[in-house]
Amino acid sequence: GAVVSQHPSWVICKSGTSVKIECRSLDFQATTMFWYRQFPKQSLMLMATSNEGSKATYEQGVEKDKFLINHASLTLSTLTVTSAHPEDSSFYICSALPDRGGYTFGSGTRLTVV
Amino acid sequence: AQSVSQHNHHVILSEAASLELGCNYSYGGTVNLFWYVQYPGQHLQLLLKYFSGDPLVKGIKGFEAEFIKSKFSFNLRKPSVQWSDTAEYFCAVNVGNTDKLIFGTGTRLQVFP
């Protein structure tokens, strides 16, 4: 089946630095990918829709300058958390829709900002 | 804005008990409905989905869900739970004219032997 690979699975960074998270579709092309954030014991909150070759669409309340999304190819979308702060610590998950059969999710990235 | 509600935040059951998790959504148009499960330390897995047709949908691991359009509901059921069903369960809705998937707040299920 369709697989989405997300890397890294976990990262620890210092406050003020930037962190890049990659999401790759391994056996299909994804013109659209989705980025979610999940707080401990809470649901997934949609942050933005990543569109290949164009600007991402951000959900209300999500800072586009803080969470930079780039979707330069049909198999890769990246989320960069800029000038990270401890409140950005969270679990970030990407997703794609390989066909109308359903969504496929990456394994997630746990970001800890110290 | 579209929203998805899961009223059961934490459910505790004994093995062999029956399970029903509620899911309601707020959108009057065409929707696609999903239930996902997240086992501890693992990523989301699709349990079942509804796009159209028979409103009673059967999924993996003995789960089923019923779409009741008049009630804007898509409740998840399992007649007899197992200890291995302990996990977080998420209802999700995709509004027909977009590809965005909106998740409910999740229900934590604990099954004791």
Side-chain angles (χ1 to χ4, degrees), chain A residues 34 36 38 42-44 46 49 59 91 97 100-103 105-107, chain B residues 34 36 38 43-44 46 49 51 90 94 99-106:
Chain A
F34 306 91
Y36 292 86
Q38 185 179 27
Q42 294 188 32
S43 186
L44 284 76
L46 180 64
T49 302
E59 295 299 305
F91 194 59
L97 186 61
R100 276 309 184 184
Y103 298 78
F105 290 83
S107 53
Chain B
F34 304 80
Y36 285 89
Q38 188 176 34
H43 62 278
L44 287 166
L46 179 66
K49 60 182 183 280
F51 283 12
F90 295 96
N94 161 238
D99 285 332
K100 294 196 296 186
L101 193 60
I102 307 300
F103 282 84
T105 49

Side-chain angles (χ1 to χ4, degrees), chain A residues 60-82:
Chain A
Q60 191 173 12
V62 177
E63 300 176 60
K64 58 183 67 177
D65 294 331
K66 157 70 78 174
F67 300 101
L68 298 179
I69 291 173
N70 183 274
H71 195 150
S73 78
L74 288 170
T75 59
L76 174 64
S77 174
T78 61
L79 168 68
T80 301
V81 184
T82 63

Side-chain angles (χ1 to χ4, degrees), chain B residues 44-87:
Chain B
L44 287 166
Q45 298 177 33
L46 179 66
L47 274 179
L48 47 80
K49 60 182 183 280
Y50 172 80
F51 283 12
S52 63
D54 189 345
L56 184 60
V57 180
K58 294 193 183 298
I60 62 172
K61 305 187 181 187
F63 287 91
E64 65 177 31
E66 184 175 12
F67 170 52
I68 303 179
K69 188 174 182 179
S70 61
K71 295 185 178 180
F72 298 89
S73 70
F74 190 55
N75 292 355
L76 180 71
R77 298 194 292 251
K78 185 171 183 177
S80 177
V81 295
Q82 300 173 315
W83 175 79
S84 57
D85 292 325
T86 295

